[in-house]
Amino acid sequence: MNPQAKFVSTISLLLGTSITISSNHWVMAWAGLEINTLAILPLISKSHHPRAIEASTKYFLVQATASTLLLFSSMTNAWFSGQWDITQLTHPMACTLLTTAISIKLGLVPFHFWFPEVLQGSTLSSCLLLATIMKFPPTTLFYLTSPSLNPTLLSLMAVASVALGGWMGLNQTQVRKILAFSSIAHLGWMTIILIYNPNLTLITFYLYTMTTSAIFFTLNVTNTLKLSTMMTAWTKIPSLTSIFMLTLLSLAGLPPLTGFLPKWLIIMELTKQELTMMATIITLLSLLGLFFYLRLAYCATITLPPNFTNYMKQWQTNKLVNLLTTTFTTLSIMLLPLSPMVLTIP
């Protein structure tokens, strides 16, 4: 890809995200989301492979539909209340339309169908952007409008997302699809607590972004796309692959790793809100996700390849990628002791 075009796309991504998260007017938020969508399309389709073109086409159609619904929802609210402020969403139909629009943008069940296919057709660097940065503006809009949203609808979608994210990831052999269903399951955890404690949604999103970034950086360094190639990755960089197992278990939410923190806080908050049954259901459903994380960890570190070909260890020449991989991997494993500080956040 042309470096100038890549630079323009990257700057546009940052610009669109900044506009959306800093605006309090619906039209500005919508404009930021549109800039984001148009900026990521060249990055998805840069390989010119038919799967990449298909992925970018699907992404464009889905995001255009969601943006239309979001604009229609804000216009409906302005028609009935005269308010264009994001925090002044009061009309019930506008709230439902907004929930649908943001759910489509994020890939929440039952609007998840596009996300695994788009990730499968993208490069690992584009997958990282789609699974993390591109979800930040819609999550911010959810955060700002959380007092107006329907708790029952959000809870149903959240439980369905955790269930389907875990269930559909069980039988996958492509690492990008597994991480797509992992993202859907984590969105369920973020959505279920949105009404009761929106700050926890943001904390969960930040920690999920950090851990997923560490995983995608590791996959990029080892050039791993399938479970079969993951089995031989440990011969290239044994130390990184060993840490990769811990990062996967952190994403699964096992103590004493960082990923345990948001799930523990969400379960505590749901229990305080007397939603013990809901907390029990999503905790049990997260065991489905734990299975495929363990499967990935098993393939990465324990399984021996069927042949004993000698592999040369790779030279690590890209210092920036090495620094990012080391930083995000360390943070995604060792942040649990900071939980007392997180608990003080109002």
Side-chain angles (χ1 to χ4, degrees), residues 39-91:
I40 195 73
L41 289 175
L43 297 175
I44 298 174
S45 59
K46 66 182 178 182
S47 64
H48 300 296
H49 190 275
R51 288 298 296 268
I53 304 300
E54 180 189 346
S56 58
T57 307
K58 285 179 180 175
Y59 185 78
F60 173 74
L61 292 173
V62 169
Q63 297 299 311
T65 306
S67 295
T68 307
L69 275 175
L70 186 138
L71 199 57
F72 184 54
S73 134
S74 57
M75 288 171 66
T76 305
N77 188 67
W79 178 269
F80 285 103
S81 67
Q83 288 286 341
W84 282 98
D85 196 305
I86 291 177
T87 56
Q88 302 297 320
L89 195 71
T90 52
H91 195 268

Side-chain angles (χ1 to χ4, degrees), residues 78-149:
W79 178 269
F80 285 103
S81 67
Q83 288 286 341
W84 282 98
D85 196 305
I86 291 177
T87 56
Q88 302 297 320
L89 195 71
T90 52
H91 195 268
M93 190 173 84
C95 293
T96 307
L97 283 172
L98 177 80
T99 306
T100 306
I102 302 295
S103 301
I104 294 173
K105 280 200 166 288
L106 288 172
L108 275 169
V109 174
F111 310 108
H112 65 283
F113 53 88
W114 62 273
F115 192 54
E117 299 300 323
V118 170
L119 250 64
Q120 183 58 30
S122 308
T123 60
L124 285 171
S125 54
S126 300
C127 288
L128 171 61
L129 293 174
L130 287 168
T132 55
I133 294 174
M134 296 301 293
K135 292 189 183 295
F136 187 41
T139 306
T140 308
L141 291 179
F142 253 169
Y143 176 84
L144 292 172
T145 56
S146 57
S148 311
L149 302 178

